[in-house]
Amino acid sequence: MPSTPQAQATSLPVELGKPAALSLRWPVDAVEALFDLPFNDLLYKAQTIHRQHFNANELQLSSLLSIKTGACPEDCKYCPQSARYSTGLEVERLMRVDAIVEAAKKAKANGASRFCMGAAWRSPKDKDLIVVEEAVRQVSALGLETCATLGMLDQAQAQSLKQAGLDYYNHNLDSSEEYYAEVITTRTYQDRLDTLEHVRGAGMNVCSGGIVGMGETRRDRAGLIANLANLPTAPQSVPINNLVQVSGTPLDDVEPIDDFEFIRTIAVARITMPTSYVRLSAGREQMNDQMQALCFMAGANSVFYGEELLTTNNASVEHDQQLMSTLGMVAQKTA
Ligand code: SAM
Ligand code: DTB
Ligand code: SF4
């Protein structure tokens, strides 16, 4: 085991927002100090830790499907699905279970091991949850891991999804607590932490990460990573999204993040959460192969795989298969 603070105190519960600086696994200053390392030192450290816990040539592939699209009441400034912005998106009601299962079969045939169903809701209604749960049962029966991202969950909803066999729940912290307030006003950071607690409480795996390239500072990025790493248990999956700028959203035209700073963010996530899958998430379509290779070198070991994310394009399956072959990487099989 590496001698990281994470490894020394994996079970230490840390409540965010409480004056427990001494017991924090990763104080923000320590995380920012990682960001400040010379690039080669940072990548070496990240790759070394990565190899202690994972096969460095294996990639976990998750495919996404938007099962309910657009007309969302929330005001997330990055999101094309918010009803508050004119993005020209076609609104779609909750899909039928058989259509969801068809998409899952295709994802499996392409080599994905996890299927993630996303819905543009603030939180799911009980009648919708019944449909999602049936989809979870049928997708699970295909031999795929299941994930859903449906907005906020209360404890009973999380338990009900767990009972249906849901393996992972995705709910992102998105940014530091401070910058979050600049980006979303219709739900609080604490609401997000509460949902994560309900997911953990129900015994599901947590998928939680954030978005960079929203105009935040390095300190904000360090704050995001620290908050994820300091959760009672680090999330099993950590998606790091590079903002996909969508015309009509308030964050369209923001200054993009520098490539090296993005790679640093991946490396810092790897070092602070050594046993988590770090996913190189949205924004891959805009990255060249060399950039993606450096992200894998920095410890990313998972990607969203398939032609589409939720509403925007992703790198193509053909291109990803070519890239994996070029790099000598293989898809991780379902556990
Ligand atoms: N509505 C649910 C929610 O917000 O919890 C689930 C779906 S929502 C689209 C899931 C995540 O996608 C968001 O938390 C955000 O991190 C990410 N996301 C949304 N729009 C994005 C964009 N334009 N670029 C990068 N990531 C984005
Ligand atoms: C996550 O962290 N990224 C995914 C998934 N979880 C649900 C979504 C990315 C969405 C990108 C914009 C879109 O396609 O709508
Ligand atoms: Fe709605 Fe989720 Fe988009 Fe926010 S990120 S506007 S909650 S779909």
Side-chain angles (χ1 to χ4, degrees):
M1 290 287 280
S3 60
T4 59
Q6 163 100 9
Q8 288 159 8
T10 358
S11 59
L12 239 192
V14 175
E15 296 278 333
L16 292 174
K18 294 208 173 142
L22 280 180
S23 67
L24 275 185
R25 234 175 278 144
W26 282 101
V28 188
D29 285 344
V31 177
E32 202 177 6
L34 290 173
F35 270 94
D36 293 342
L37 285 172
F39 188 77
N40 285 338
D41 291 350
L42 177 61
L43 256 67
Y44 179 71
K45 197 176 174 71
Q47 176 70 195
T48 305
I49 288 176
H50 186 47
R51 282 170 182 269
Q52 285 163 1
H53 299 280
F54 293 100
N55 175 338
N57 301 311
E58 247 180 32
L59 203 52
Q60 191 279 324
L61 307 179
S62 291
S63 286
L64 276 171
L65 177 69
S66 181
I67 61 171
K68 185 268 168 182
T69 307
C72 183
E74 301 297 278
D75 71 350
C76 316
K77 287 197 172 81
Y78 48 75
C79 187
Q81 301 203 68
S82 167
R84 297 165 194 243
Y85 317 129
S86 301
T87 59
L89 186 71
E90 208 174 301
V91 172
E92 285 169 48
R93 298 161 71 95
L94 179 58
M95 287 173 68
R96 291 165 45 117
V97 171
D98 53 358
I100 298 172
V101 174
E102 268 321 297
K105 283 182 184 161
K106 245 187 231 162
K108 186 176 163 73
N110 279 335
S113 63
R114 192 178 305 165
F115 189 67
C116 178
M117 296 158 267
W121 290 320
R122 172 177 165 82
S123 54
K125 299 200 170 58
D126 288 346
K127 72 172 172 36
D128 295 326
L129 219 47
I130 291 170
V131 178
V132 175
E133 287 169 4
E134 183 52 27
V136 167
R137 277 188 281 270
Q138 294 194 25
V139 172
S140 236
L142 299 175
L144 282 162
E145 290 178 336
T146 53
C147 178
T149 181
L150 317 169
M152 292 187 283
L153 294 184
D154 63 27
Q155 190 62 75
Q157 290 174 319
Q159 268 155 359
S160 172
L161 281 163
K162 167 72 182 170
Q163 244 175 2
L166 188 66
D167 298 308
Y168 288 79
Y169 195 79
N170 166 247
H171 199 66
N172 292 337
L173 290 183
D174 276 352
S175 195
S176 67
E177 186 162 13
E178 296 77 16
Y179 199 69
Y180 176 93
E182 306 275 321
V183 178
I184 297 150
T185 68
T186 48
R187 73 173 81 150
T188 64
Y189 212 69
Q190 188 57 50
D191 288 333
R192 293 198 178 239
L193 292 168
D194 290 347
T195 291
L196 294 181
E197 192 180 313
H198 298 148
V199 172
R200 266 194 317 273
M204 274 186 288
N205 292 305
V206 169
C207 172
S208 188
I211 315 181
V212 298
M214 298 196 293
E216 76 286 338
T217 61
R218 175 175 278 188
R219 181 79 179 171
D220 290 315
R221 288 185 280 277
L224 164 68
I225 303 280
N227 288 343
L228 292 166
N230 288 330
L231 287 168
T233 310
Q236 283 75 19
S237 285
V238 180
I240 304 293
N241 297 278
N242 195 350
L243 176 70
V244 178
Q245 298 194 354
V246 179
S247 169
T249 60
L251 290 183
D252 186 28
D253 275 346
V254 79
E255 177 73 18
I257 186 173
D258 170 73
D259 282 354
F260 291 107
E261 185 68 11
F262 183 86
I263 299 162
R264 282 178 186 275
T265 309
I266 297 271
V268 173
R270 166 51 63 225
I271 293 165
T272 54
M273 294 173 272
T275 60
S276 305
Y277 280 81
V278 175
R279 185 173 308 130
L280 174 55
S281 300
R284 254 182 354 102
E285 204 211 4
Q286 290 74 29
M287 293 174 196
N288 66 25
D289 290 354
Q290 293 79 355
M291 168 75 178
Q292 292 188 59
L294 276 171
C295 289
F296 300 140
M297 179 74 96
N301 60 348
S302 168
V303 290
F304 283 126
Y305 176 70
E307 315 287 331
E308 258 193 310
L309 293 166
L310 290 175
T311 67
T312 63
N313 291 339
N314 191 21
S316 75
V317 164
E318 205 186 358
H319 191 98
D320 279 347
Q321 288 180 349
Q322 180 62 53
L323 179 59
M324 283 194 280
S325 156
T326 302
L327 301 179
M329 294 183 88
V330 293
Q332 194 199 40
K333 299 270 172 279
T334 318

PDB file of all heavy atoms in Angstrom, residues 36 192 206 233 255 257 303 317:
ATOM      1  N   ASP A  36       0.699  21.879  -7.754  1.00  0.00           N
ATOM      2  CA  ASP A  36       1.852  22.770  -7.955  1.00  0.00           C
ATOM      3  C   ASP A  36       3.147  22.022  -8.275  1.00  0.00           C
ATOM      4  O   ASP A  36       4.165  22.642  -8.581  1.00  0.00           O
ATOM      5  CB  ASP A  36       2.084  23.630  -6.695  1.00  0.00           C
ATOM      6  CG  ASP A  36       0.941  24.627  -6.471  1.00  0.00           C
ATOM      7  OD1 ASP A  36       0.185  24.884  -7.431  1.00  0.00           O
ATOM      8  OD2 ASP A  36       0.807  25.131  -5.333  1.00  0.00           O
ATOM      9  N   ARG A 192     -26.392  17.928  -2.495  1.00  0.00           N
ATOM     10  CA  ARG A 192     -25.631  16.906  -3.242  1.00  0.00           C
ATOM     11  C   ARG A 192     -24.972  15.927  -2.276  1.00  0.00           C
ATOM     12  O   ARG A 192     -24.979  14.724  -2.505  1.00  0.00           O
ATOM     13  CB  ARG A 192     -24.581  17.570  -4.128  1.00  0.00           C
ATOM     14  CG  ARG A 192     -25.245  18.356  -5.234  1.00  0.00           C
ATOM     15  CD  ARG A 192     -24.313  18.678  -6.368  1.00  0.00           C
ATOM     16  NE  ARG A 192     -25.077  19.393  -7.381  1.00  0.00           N
ATOM     17  CZ  ARG A 192     -25.232  19.002  -8.639  1.00  0.00           C
ATOM     18  NH1 ARG A 192     -24.637  17.909  -9.057  1.00  0.00           N
ATOM     19  NH2 ARG A 192     -25.963  19.693  -9.475  1.00  0.00           N
ATOM     20  N   VAL A 206     -20.796   4.559  -5.284  1.00  0.00           N
ATOM     21  CA  VAL A 206     -20.946   5.980  -5.611  1.00  0.00           C
ATOM     22  C   VAL A 206     -20.085   6.333  -6.823  1.00  0.00           C
ATOM     23  O   VAL A 206     -18.903   5.982  -6.882  1.00  0.00           O
ATOM     24  CB  VAL A 206     -20.537   6.854  -4.407  1.00  0.00           C
ATOM     25  CG1 VAL A 206     -20.433   8.321  -4.799  1.00  0.00           C
ATOM     26  CG2 VAL A 206     -21.525   6.687  -3.268  1.00  0.00           C
ATOM     27  N   THR A 233     -16.177   7.491   2.371  1.00  0.00           N
ATOM     28  CA  THR A 233     -15.447   6.557   1.509  1.00  0.00           C
ATOM     29  C   THR A 233     -15.287   7.269   0.181  1.00  0.00           C
ATOM     30  O   THR A 233     -16.261   7.849  -0.319  1.00  0.00           O
ATOM     31  CB  THR A 233     -16.272   5.266   1.274  1.00  0.00           C
ATOM     32  OG1 THR A 233     -16.708   4.777   2.531  1.00  0.00           O
ATOM     33  CG2 THR A 233     -15.462   4.217   0.547  1.00  0.00           C
ATOM     34  N   GLU A 255     -13.438  30.754 -21.109  1.00  0.00           N
ATOM     35  CA  GLU A 255     -12.070  30.384 -21.498  1.00  0.00           C
ATOM     36  C   GLU A 255     -11.833  28.902 -21.179  1.00  0.00           C
ATOM     37  O   GLU A 255     -11.942  28.490 -20.021  1.00  0.00           O
ATOM     38  CB  GLU A 255     -11.108  31.282 -20.699  1.00  0.00           C
ATOM     39  CG  GLU A 255      -9.641  31.028 -20.902  1.00  0.00           C
ATOM     40  CD  GLU A 255      -9.137  31.509 -22.273  1.00  0.00           C
ATOM     41  OE1 GLU A 255      -9.821  32.327 -22.924  1.00  0.00           O
ATOM     42  OE2 GLU A 255      -8.062  31.019 -22.668  1.00  0.00           O
ATOM     43  N   ILE A 257     -10.088  25.323 -20.261  1.00  0.00           N
ATOM     44  CA  ILE A 257      -8.968  24.996 -19.369  1.00  0.00           C
ATOM     45  C   ILE A 257      -7.759  24.588 -20.230  1.00  0.00           C
ATOM     46  O   ILE A 257      -7.915  23.958 -21.273  1.00  0.00           O
ATOM     47  CB  ILE A 257      -9.379  23.859 -18.389  1.00  0.00           C
ATOM     48  CG1 ILE A 257      -8.285  23.595 -17.350  1.00  0.00           C
ATOM     49  CG2 ILE A 257      -9.747  22.582 -19.109  1.00  0.00           C
ATOM     50  CD1 ILE A 257      -8.714  22.609 -16.252  1.00  0.00           C
ATOM     51  N   VAL A 303     -13.500   5.417 -19.332  1.00  0.00           N
ATOM     52  CA  VAL A 303     -14.011   6.452 -20.250  1.00  0.00           C
ATOM     53  C   VAL A 303     -15.500   6.207 -20.497  1.00  0.00           C
ATOM     54  O   VAL A 303     -15.997   5.097 -20.284  1.00  0.00           O
ATOM     55  CB  VAL A 303     -13.300   6.448 -21.641  1.00  0.00           C
ATOM     56  CG1 VAL A 303     -11.865   6.923 -21.541  1.00  0.00           C
ATOM     57  CG2 VAL A 303     -13.385   5.085 -22.322  1.00  0.00           C
ATOM     58  N   VAL A 317     -16.810   5.015 -31.434  1.00  0.00           N
ATOM     59  CA  VAL A 317     -16.405   3.672 -31.003  1.00  0.00           C
ATOM     60  C   VAL A 317     -15.209   3.201 -31.840  1.00  0.00           C
ATOM     61  O   VAL A 317     -14.234   2.657 -31.306  1.00  0.00           O
ATOM     62  CB  VAL A 317     -17.603   2.701 -31.152  1.00  0.00           C
ATOM     63  CG1 VAL A 317     -17.164   1.245 -31.098  1.00  0.00           C
ATOM     64  CG2 VAL A 317     -18.636   2.986 -30.067  1.00  0.00           C
TER      65      VAL A 317
END
